[in-house]
Amino acid sequence: MKAREQEVINEIDILMHKFIDNMVTIFKLQYSVSFDESFIKKSLTSKKSHYDWEKHHRSILSKNKLRESLFLRIFVEFERFLSEIIEKSTGINEIKGRFTEIFYRVAEQEGWDSNNPKKEWKDLLNRPINVLLKKKDLLISKETPLKLAFDIFGLGSIIKNKKIIKNYIIYYEGKERRNCLTHSGLEPSPQYDSAIKIFTGRFKDFNPVKIFDENNYKFLIKVKNKQKNTYIRQSQKEIKDLSVSPLYFELIFSSIILLATYLIAKIKRERSVDLYFF
C-alpha cells in the first residue's frame, strides 16, 4: 500500500474511534433514562395518590422526550461520520476519481435538466476536487450519505449485499421515522407512509414488510384506550404513535453501529489492511 493510502486509512480509523465514542456516550444516556423510567414504574403502587400517578405520567413524558432527542442525535452522528470519511477518503486517487465522476454525473443531470435546470449544479461541472468537497453536502443530499459511501468506496449496491440488507432495511425505517419526528410529530405523516411504501416496493425481494413487523414495529409503544382507560398494543397495520421505545432505540442504534463497522471493515479489506480498529 502506498504511504498516502495508509495515511488516509489511519485518519479514517481516528474518525471511527471518535464516532464510536460519541455513540457510546449517547447510548449510556439513553440507558440511564430507561433504567430510571423502569425504576419509577416499579416503585409506584396502587395505594399512591392520584397526584403521584399524574407526577409519574409527566415524568415518563419528559423521559420520552429526552429519548427522542437522543434518537435524533444518533442519526446526526452517523451522517456526520459518513460525510467525514467520504471527504477524507478522497485522499486516495481511486476514490477521488469515483467521487468526482459521481459528482459530475449528477451535476450534468441536474444542471442541464430541460424541465428544471439548476445553476448551482451547472457551476460545478468540471470543477477541481477542492471545490467539489466544499459542496459535498449537495451531493450527499441527492444521493444519501450511506449510498454515496458505498458507491465511492466501490462496494457495489446495498440492495445486492445480502450480509447487511436486513440491517439496512431496519435502519431505513429508523431514518424515515427520524424525518417524521423532526418535521411532523409522533403520528405517521403522509411523507413517512409514502417513503415506506416506495421502499417496500423497491426491496420487495427481501420482504421488508416482514422485517419491519418482526423488528421495528415489534417495539411500538402502547397507546391509551380512552374508552377502557388503559394502554393497549398498537396494530402494526394502523400505527398511531411512532414514539421511540427503549428497545426500539437499541434496535436502530445496533443497526447503525453494524453498518458503520461493516463499511470501514470493507474499506480496509479492499486494501489488505489489518481489520483491528477498536
Side-chain angles (χ1 to χ4, degrees):
M1 178 186 294
K2 296 178 182 178
R4 177 53 185 156
E5 283 196 12
Q6 183 62 62
E7 182 181 338
V8 170
I9 293 298
N10 291 342
E11 290 170 346
I12 288 176
D13 264 355
I14 292 172
L15 292 174
M16 183 65 174
H17 279 285
K18 180 182 174 183
F19 168 69
I20 293 296
D21 285 345
N22 291 342
M23 292 290 280
V24 167
T25 298
I26 294 171
F27 185 84
K28 286 179 178 178
L29 287 170
Q30 195 282 145
Y31 179 79
S32 67
V33 171
S34 300
F35 177 80
D36 186 41
E37 181 179 322
S38 175
F39 178 79
I40 292 172
K41 286 179 180 179
K42 291 178 181 178
S43 67
L44 291 169
T45 69
S46 59
K47 295 181 181 179
K48 293 286 185 179
S49 68
H50 177 69
Y51 172 79
D52 287 328
W53 281 105
E54 287 297 320
K55 186 176 180 180
H56 161 65
H57 181 65
R58 288 196 299 272
S59 177
I60 294 299
L61 288 177
S62 175
K63 288 172 172 56
N64 285 346
K65 281 293 183 183
L66 178 55
R67 182 182 300 111
E68 182 182 310
S69 68
L70 294 172
F71 176 74
L72 300 181
R73 188 68 200 179
I74 63 177
F75 286 92
V76 172
E77 293 295 337
F78 186 42
E79 291 175 6
R80 178 187 295 164
F81 166 69
L82 291 172
S83 177
E84 288 175 341
I85 64 170
I86 285 170
E87 179 166 351
K88 191 67 67 178
S89 69
T90 57
I92 298 172
N93 287 333
E94 175 190 351
I95 294 176
K96 173 184 173 181
R98 289 198 199 101
F99 177 83
T100 304
E101 180 185 349
I102 292 168
F103 217 131
Y104 288 165
R105 185 177 69 242
V106 176
E108 187 166 7
Q109 291 170 351
E110 296 293 320
W112 297 97
D113 184 340
S114 58
N115 295 319
N116 187 26
K118 299 179 180 65
K119 186 177 185 300
E120 61 183 351
W121 282 103
K122 190 181 294 186
D123 291 343
L124 291 171
L125 279 171
N126 302 317
R127 299 301 297 277
I129 186 70
N130 62 313
V131 175
L132 299 181
L133 286 174
K134 288 179 180 179
K135 296 287 187 177
K136 73 178 185 301
D137 287 349
L138 267 179
L139 183 61
I140 288 174
S141 67
K142 195 71 182 174
E143 295 280 318
T144 77
L146 189 58
K147 179 181 181 300
L148 180 60
F150 266 74
D151 288 344
I152 73 165
F153 294 140
L155 302 181
S157 171
I158 296 176
I159 198 170
K160 295 180 181 178
N161 196 312
K162 294 181 179 179
K163 291 183 178 179
I164 64 165
I165 191 63
K166 178 181 176 181
N167 285 94
Y168 178 69
I169 290 171
I170 291 171
Y171 156 79
Y172 182 87
E173 187 280 329
K175 181 173 71 70
E176 290 304 324
R177 190 179 301 202
R178 180 276 307 267
N179 293 340
C180 183
L181 293 174
T182 301
H183 302 294
S184 301
L186 298 176
E187 187 176 348
S189 64
Q191 291 79 8
Y192 172 86
D193 289 337
S194 175
I196 295 299
K197 183 177 180 180
I198 292 171
F199 183 83
T200 53
R202 183 184 172 205
F203 285 76
K204 61 183 178 181
D205 290 346
F206 300 97
N207 201 352
V209 172
K210 181 180 179 182
I211 292 175
F212 290 156
D213 287 348
E214 293 180 353
N215 296 273
N216 304 58
Y217 298 151
K218 178 181 178 181
F219 301 122
L220 291 169
I221 68 162
K222 291 182 178 181
V223 293
K224 191 169 185 178
N225 184 319
K226 294 181 180 179
Q227 294 178 335
K228 296 182 179 180
N229 196 30
T230 185
Y231 287 86
I232 60 172
R233 292 188 179 277
Q234 293 189 68
S235 166
Q236 296 175 342
K237 305 300 182 184
E238 192 177 351
I239 299 171
K240 300 294 186 182
D241 192 321
L242 290 172
S243 292
V244 179
S245 67
L247 291 176
Y248 177 79
F249 184 101
E250 293 180 17
L251 173 74
I252 302 301
F253 182 94
S254 299
S255 292
I256 287 176
I257 292 293
L258 184 144
L259 290 169
T261 305
Y262 178 86
L263 185 60
I264 298 302
K266 286 292 286 184
I267 294 169
K268 300 179 85 169
R269 184 175 287 123
E270 289 290 318
R271 284 161 180 78
S272 302
V273 179
D274 185 355
L275 295 182
Y276 177 80
F277 51 81
F278 292 113

